[in-house]
Amino acid sequence: MFANSPYYHPFQLSRKPVYAKRGMVAASNPLAAEAGLEILKQGGNAVDAAIAVSGALTVLEPTSNGIGGDAFVLMRIRGELHGLNASGPAPRGISIAAVKARGYEEMPRFGFLPVTVPGVPAAWRELSERFGRLPLVETLAPAAIYAEEGFPVSPTTAANWRAAYETYRKYLRGPEYDEWFRIFALGGKPPRSGEIWRSPDHARTLRLIAASEAEEFYRGSLADALAAFSREHGGFISKEDLVSYRPEWVAPIGVDYRGYRVWELPPNGQGLVALLALNILKGYDNLKAFDLETVHKQIEAIKLAFADGLMHITDPREMTADVKELLSDDYAAGKRKLIGEEALIPPDSDADSSGTVYFAVADGEGNMVSYIQSNYMGFGSGLVVPGAGISLQNRGHTFSLDPARANCLKPGKKTYHTIIPGFLTKGGQAVGPFGVMGGFMQPQGHLQFITNSIDYNMNPQAALDVPRWQWIKGKTVKVEQNFPDFLVSGLARRGHNVQVENSPVSFGRGQSIWRQPETGVLVGATESRADGTVAAW
């Protein structure tokens, strides 16, 4: 199995994979990973540990996610794969006409207009009730302690915090943003790497959610505070929107890829894009090396997949395309015929937005969790509910104001969602969870991680560490600074506009845990582009 294979490409490995037997957590923050491992050692299962990590990350990485964001989960529990879509809809009182009446021709990034109903607290409740062993008061306790007592900010988070602060200081105007600066820029500056940051409001909110099993967030005092904040500043989200919200248990979708089965969640997430691209690539039998032919075909496949995804993906109740038809072999064969020696020009998309956390959890009983959550575009809307520490997402920014588009804004509708967890199986048995966070990079990261693992026979850490590319729009492709020169020049000769990017932020941050079928040994990997770790037992 590839988890034991050598890393045979000429790139320097920054880390080695981690092996364990009884439990493992791979997360982008070491303190969050340890919080999950602590819950496993207290008798919790992988789902309990996932809730602990999720809660902790809302505190430890507020630059990427929060209580006011959304979550998606793929989990293998007692031999069966389950999917949870905890994304929230647009408020019932909003509309295209209402947004345009305020002078906008596209959905804004900041303020109340892009705020959708948060799904994270409801995800904690659903997961705990259906599959957890421990109550939320125990699984969310580490997060509350971090918020109350404070913690040293990690380097990557500090850098993202500084970047967000500079953006917000430039663009956020109005009293509705005062709470963000009070909480996240106390003393007029963001925290530095290693500096202690605490949020007592966040701690109180976490304890209220835990004690009430999220009822306080959707029907109680926290719901009242959020709704009052919205009314005060002309927002559309109301308490009725919160009261009526429920996450959805959904059937995962997947495609076969060279003897494995790659799983994603169905729309409104963009996991379909990764599957469409893999379905195109599986028709080629010569993609066994990290060479020009392979990378060119991968880029062209992801372009075609995005063209379909951006055309069709939205709230599943509003979709007119048939997902099964899009994932059929005949459909993939037709798309494959469009790929030639030269770079294509597909419809444009903005591939730079991000602001997400992904982590993977496994216990000693065979349960495995692939979990992702986000506020979108960093901290989100720039709004924080006064006295509650709840940073609200701006997920509605992805809605179109063109009524002819599938993903056009409508009251109570879910938007095209960038965050996607992945899962891999073989012969009906779990291989394990994987994910690469980072806006529109995510399906591209999934594709590269899977092809690195399966086509190149790499272990999960090696598969994460390979230099990445990211298609941006048109013929523009960004590559990491250590991307091989011969590939940069080769892609340019084929018509790609190749841009070498110095910052690793553009290329996502991933985690994975594989389970070896013969022994049950867990093999964990974490992103060298972030501050992550694999906590193992």
Side-chain angles (χ1 to χ4, degrees):
M1 184 182 176
F2 44 68
N4 283 325
S5 68
Y7 186 64
Y8 57 83
H9 283 283
F11 307 120
Q12 181 63 42
L13 246 187
S14 57
R15 304 186 189 209
K16 302 291 186 183
V18 176
Y19 295 87
K21 180 71 174 177
R22 300 184 66 180
M24 184 174 283
V25 181
S28 55
N29 183 282
L31 299 179
E34 290 297 329
L37 192 65
E38 177 184 334
I39 293 299
L40 289 176
K41 290 182 176 181
Q42 290 176 7
N45 61 17
V47 171
D48 295 312
I51 295 168
V53 178
S54 170
L57 284 170
T58 69
V59 180
L60 299 167
E61 285 194 40
T63 54
S64 302
N65 77 119
I67 296 172
D70 283 344
F72 289 83
V73 193
L74 266 171
M75 66 212 92
R76 177 98 170 186
I77 308 296
R78 295 186 287 275
E80 185 175 352
L81 197 62
H82 303 269
L84 181 65
N85 180 329
S87 64
R92 295 180 180 185
I94 201 169
S95 66
I96 291 175
V99 174
K100 288 190 171 183
R102 298 193 183 187
Y104 295 97
E105 290 303 317
E106 59 183 29
M107 287 295 287
R109 174 177 175 180
F110 303 120
F112 268 106
L113 291 181
V115 174
T116 52
V117 176
V120 166
W124 295 338
R125 177 183 60 205
E126 289 287 329
L127 292 169
S128 182
E129 286 182 353
R130 185 166 182 181
F131 294 120
R133 286 186 187 148
L134 304 179
L136 288 180
V137 290
E138 292 187 36
T139 54
L140 292 178
I145 292 170
Y146 282 136
E148 188 169 63
E149 297 182 358
F151 64 92
V153 176
S154 63
T156 300
T157 299
N160 292 338
W161 210 316
R162 165 62 65 179
Y165 171 75
E166 295 298 338
T167 297
Y168 285 12
R169 185 173 64 170
K170 181 177 180 180
Y171 292 108
L172 300 191
R173 297 288 184 270
E176 65 267 36
Y177 302 113
D178 289 349
E179 189 75 352
W180 188 91
F181 288 98
R182 185 183 75 82
I183 297 293
F184 295 113
L186 187 61
K189 59 181 179 61
R192 299 183 300 273
S193 175
E195 187 174 349
I196 301 296
W197 181 79
R198 56 179 55 86
S199 178
D201 292 346
H202 200 141
R204 286 192 297 272
T205 291
L206 284 164
R207 291 193 171 105
L208 278 172
I209 291 171
S212 67
E213 296 184 336
E215 284 296 296
E216 283 291 333
F217 188 91
Y218 294 98
R219 293 169 180 79
S221 60
L222 295 173
D224 291 335
L226 197 164
F229 184 39
S230 175
R231 284 195 306 273
E232 181 181 357
H233 297 287
F236 288 97
I237 192 167
S238 67
K239 186 173 182 180
E240 289 70 27
D241 293 313
L242 298 168
V243 168
S244 62
Y245 177 69
R246 293 289 186 283
E248 300 175 77
W249 291 97
V250 297
I253 57 176
V255 297
D256 294 324
Y257 189 78
R258 310 198 197 285
Y260 293 83
R261 185 80 172 169
V262 185
W263 297 95
E264 302 276 355
L265 290 181
N268 57 316
Q270 65 175 343
L272 176 62
V273 173
L275 298 181
L276 286 166
L278 288 169
N279 230 19
I280 294 170
L281 291 173
K282 76 180 184 183
Y284 298 107
D285 57 9
N286 61 338
L287 306 184
K288 298 296 183 182
F290 190 62
D291 59 16
L292 177 59
E293 191 64 31
T294 296
V295 175
H296 170 72
K297 284 186 167 64
Q298 290 174 345
I299 294 170
E300 296 305 288
I302 206 71
K303 289 180 188 178
L304 293 169
F306 264 117
D308 283 333
L310 293 168
M311 180 181 296
H312 299 301
I313 293 174
T314 189
D315 190 313
R317 297 168 298 177
E318 300 273 342
M319 281 186 64
T320 56
D322 185 336
V323 171
K324 290 183 180 179
E325 173 61 26
L326 292 174
L327 293 179
S328 69
D329 289 343
D330 287 344
Y331 190 84
K335 292 293 182 179
R336 200 175 300 121
K337 292 177 181 177
L338 300 175
I339 297 178
E341 294 298 308
E342 295 293 319
L344 293 167
I345 303 179
D348 287 351
S349 77
D350 176 6
D352 285 332
S353 301
S354 62
T356 304
V357 291
Y358 171 83
F359 60 89
V361 182
D363 61 30
E365 302 169 24
N367 302 311
M368 307 181 87
V369 179
S370 184
Y371 196 118
I372 196 161
Q373 66 188 28
S374 173
N375 269 9
Y376 194 50
M377 305 180 84
F379 281 91
S381 64
L383 300 171
V384 177
V385 180
I390 300 169
S391 184
L392 297 174
Q393 66 183 350
N394 59 344
R395 185 55 63 176
H397 178 69
T398 58
F399 275 121
S400 171
L401 296 185
D402 180 354
R405 299 293 295 270
N407 196 47
C408 65
L409 175 66
K410 288 184 180 179
K413 181 180 179 179
K414 293 186 177 183
T415 188
Y416 180 114
H417 226 292
T418 59
I419 63 175
I420 52 174
F423 205 96
L424 190 67
T425 61
K426 184 175 185 180
Q429 300 301 308
V431 176
F434 68 93
V436 177
M437 60 197 97
F440 289 95
M441 177 64 202
Q442 292 181 56
Q444 306 188 56
H446 281 210
L447 179 148
Q448 291 173 72
F449 178 78
I450 287 297
T451 55
N452 291 346
S453 299
I454 297 175
D455 290 327
Y456 310 155
N457 199 35
M458 292 181 176
N459 68 56
Q461 186 62 59
L464 284 177
D465 284 341
V466 173
R468 293 186 188 136
W469 52 264
Q470 181 185 184
W471 173 68
I472 303 300
K473 59 183 178 180
K475 294 186 178 183
T476 300
V477 179
K478 288 184 179 180
V479 299
E480 288 192 280
Q481 193 171 25
N482 58 341
F483 204 78
D485 290 339
F486 79 93
L487 289 178
V488 173
S489 59
L491 290 171
R493 286 195 302 272
R494 293 203 176 194
H496 298 276
N497 174 23
V498 185
Q499 299 176 358
V500 179
E501 176 68 52
N502 293 329
S503 170
V505 174
S506 298
F507 300 94
R509 301 177 295 154
Q511 331 285 335
S512 181
I513 299 174
W514 289 163
R515 186 185 298 278
Q516 296 181 339
E518 305 87 358
T519 63
V521 168
L522 302 171
V523 187
T526 189
E527 187 62 71
S528 58
R529 298 165 184 84
D531 305 321
T533 192
V534 178
W537 184 26

